[in-house]
Amino acid sequence: MARDRANIRVDMLSNTDYRDLGLAAQHLYKLLLIHPTLNYAGVADWRPGRIAKITRGVTADDVRAAAKELQAGSYIYVDDETEEVFIRSFVRHDGLLSRYRLPIAMANAYADISSPEIRRYFVHELRRIHESDPDLKCWEESRVQSILREPYEDMKAISQGIGYGITYAVTSDELTPGATATTTATTTSNTPPADGGDKKESKRGSRIFEEWAPKQTTIEGISKELPQVDQEAELRKFIDHFLAAPGQKGVKLDWDATYRNWVRNSIKYGTASINESAPKQLKGFDF
């Protein structure tokens, strides 16, 4: 089912964060909302060269720069490898979930998403809608129910960037929809801090390293929340997974938050290492 119109909220212009965006970023955002390739999951083709040709005097680099600003504000997520762009709030604001048969069209569009990251971010946004409006009839559809059981991840909890081994990250204070951020190009490293001291939280995305360990407060919090989990085993799996993750997929802004979500999802999807002994307070990891 092809889209023949776009639902653009006029109150977007009264939003302070949106008004703080540059003209190019605002233009690109509205252009993506009416782009003919945008499907009912809020995903469109990402081809900067073609998008540039829609507007006189605009280059592919101009489009990429505008996209970086939007991505820093958590408006969109670009996967250069699969050539897809995801508009995070599309499903929430388009109103399609309350319209006849459109939830099925959305489920079909979700099935067509190639990017693993976008698939997880879409499911997270759909779950948020389900939590805030659980009485919608669309949740009775079996295909929509199956999407809610898929792996998910909060797009705003990751480093915001567009490929090529460079991360354009925002600070934790700026991780809100439409937040304005100054993007900073950073290369990523697999090496722990040279001083050997405490691993302080970075304001830029980084890769994990073999000696990484969560904060004591994170360990204790998970022990109270999920005492049945063998955290030492889960930590080894967690580190191995992200050490092997290629490029941008292995870059995170907050590794403690990523670890907490990893452990929770391990219980949800039945992959957790279970501690058969009685729950006890963990004092840290000794590798």
Side-chain angles (χ1 to χ4, degrees):
M1 185 186 301
R3 296 173 67 249
D4 60 359
R5 65 197 67 210
N7 185 9
I8 300 179
R9 295 171 60 99
V10 296
D11 61 356
M12 181 168 59
L13 297 179
S14 65
N15 183 276
T16 301
D17 293 325
Y18 179 80
R19 292 167 73 99
D20 282 340
L21 291 172
L23 181 62
Q26 289 182 348
H27 174 73
L28 177 61
Y29 188 69
K30 287 180 285 189
L31 184 60
L32 291 174
L33 285 172
I34 63 173
H35 200 275
T37 66
L38 184 67
N39 64 28
Y40 285 103
V43 178
D45 291 349
W46 179 248
R47 299 178 181 177
R50 290 190 177 187
I51 294 174
K53 295 302 181 183
I54 297 175
T55 305
R56 177 173 54 85
V58 173
T59 67
D61 285 341
D62 294 333
V63 174
R64 293 188 185 97
K68 288 173 183 175
E69 183 176 357
L70 289 173
Q71 186 153 311
S74 299
Y75 286 92
I76 67 172
Y77 178 84
V78 170
D79 190 320
D80 277 312
E81 184 176 354
T82 63
E83 297 184 310
E84 294 170 304
V85 56
F86 172 53
I87 302 176
R88 185 181 59 81
S89 63
F90 172 80
V91 173
R92 175 178 294 274
H93 295 309
D94 189 73
L96 63 89
L97 291 177
S98 60
R99 295 163 61 188
Y100 178 70
R101 301 302 295 171
L102 286 190
I104 296 299
M106 178 200 70
N108 291 336
Y110 167 77
D112 287 338
I113 299 173
S114 296
S115 168
E117 289 80 12
I118 290 177
R119 291 175 69 87
R120 294 196 301 272
Y121 304 152
F122 172 84
V123 176
H124 176 80
E125 294 303 319
L126 193 65
R127 289 172 62 88
R128 288 183 61 213
I129 300 171
H130 179 257
E131 291 173 3
S132 63
D133 201 349
D135 296 326
L136 286 174
K137 295 288 289 182
C138 66
W139 309 126
E140 298 175 6
E141 294 282 353
S142 60
R143 294 191 61 186
V144 176
Q145 291 175 8
S146 68
I147 295 175
L148 293 174
R149 294 191 292 269
E150 290 289 304
Y152 62 95
E153 185 176 6
D154 186 355
M155 190 178 104
K156 295 188 293 177
I158 66 163
S159 59
Q160 305 296 304
I162 301 178
Y164 311 118
I166 297 177
T167 299
Y168 293 84
V170 295
T171 68
S172 57
D173 291 337
E174 295 166 332
L175 287 175
T176 55
T180 303
T182 302
T183 56
T184 304
T186 69
T187 56
T188 60
S189 172
N190 237 12
T191 306
D195 60 9
D198 293 338
K199 312 310 190 272
K200 294 183 179 180
E201 288 296 322
S202 172
K203 292 185 178 182
R204 303 178 297 180
S206 64
R207 293 191 66 89
I208 204 166
F209 47 90
E210 290 188 7
E211 296 83 6
W212 184 86
K215 296 175 181 176
Q216 183 66 27
T217 53
T218 298
I219 297 170
E220 294 172 352
I222 293 176
S223 292
K224 293 177 181 178
E225 180 182 349
L226 301 168
Q228 71 273 38
V229 174
D230 183 343
Q231 285 199 62
E232 292 191 14
E234 281 305 311
L235 180 62
R236 286 192 292 270
K237 291 193 291 185
F238 176 77
I239 292 175
D240 286 345
H241 174 84
F242 283 103
L243 282 176
Q248 192 76 20
K249 296 178 182 179
V251 177
K252 301 296 179 183
L253 182 64
D254 187 335
W255 281 108
D256 277 78
T258 304
Y259 175 68
R260 287 193 294 269
N261 286 332
W262 170 281
V263 176
R264 290 166 182 149
N265 285 337
S266 73
I267 289 292
K268 180 178 177 65
Y269 298 108
T271 63
S273 301
I274 302 301
N275 186 355
E276 300 297 341
S277 61
K280 59 184 178 180
Q281 188 74 18
L282 295 184
K283 298 301 183 182
F285 298 115
D286 183 17
F287 291 109

